[in-house]
Amino acid sequence: MRIALVLKEDAQDSMTTTTSQAVIFNVVNNKVVGVENETLESQKIHNLSVWAVCKKINQIYVPEVNESLKNMCNKIGVVVDPYEELNNNQLFKNYII
């Protein structure tokens, strides 16, 4: 399973507003076995569902969920949740500051 966290702008080191950062976790048997960082260009942010399919992402956590993103991702089998749901996820509790 691959889970992506799209970082909030204020949590990023980027000086531009045209990019965003994502952290992708590779999870096997409820254990994180790999971590990748990726810079998302603004066009990828608008097409987050396409990016998720290309990267074989199963679940995405974003600062804010809009219904169009959620609906599009659900159609292609990608779960989208807001950051608040991370509080209920035991696997990622260690990664939350």
Side-chain angles (χ1 to χ4, degrees), residues 48-49 60 68-78 80:
L48 202 55
S49 59
I60 302 171
S68 63
L69 173 63
K70 190 167 189 144
N71 291 336
M72 178 60 77
C73 286
N74 283 337
K75 287 179 184 177
I76 58 173
V78 177
V80 178

Side-chain angles (χ1 to χ4, degrees), residues 4-16:
L5 304 178
V6 178
L7 301 179
K8 293 180 183 178
E9 284 186 33
D10 60 349
Q12 298 175 24
D13 293 330
S14 176
M15 297 298 288
T16 67

Side-chain angles (χ1 to χ4, degrees), residues 27-47:
V27 179
V28 176
N29 297 326
N30 283 333
K31 293 181 182 175
V32 175
V33 296
V35 178
E36 303 169 32
N37 290 310
E38 180 152 336
T39 300
L40 301 173
E41 298 169 15
S42 89
Q43 63 185 2
K44 287 184 184 176
I45 299 256
H46 295 297
N47 297 311

Side-chain angles (χ1 to χ4, degrees), residues 46-93:
H46 295 297
N47 297 311
L48 202 55
S49 59
V50 174
W51 172 81
V53 168
C54 291
K55 291 293 186 173
K56 299 180 181 173
I57 304 292
N58 305 98
Q59 185 167 12
I60 302 171
Y61 288 97
V62 293
E64 295 178 14
V65 176
N66 68 45
E67 287 305 309
S68 63
L69 173 63
K70 190 167 189 144
N71 291 336
M72 178 60 77
C73 286
N74 283 337
K75 287 179 184 177
I76 58 173
V78 177
V79 177
V80 178
D81 286 315
Y83 279 177
E84 291 81 29
E85 293 296 317
L86 287 170
N87 294 324
N88 302 326
N89 187 321
Q90 294 299 317
L91 179 64
F92 289 103
K93 272 197 180 266

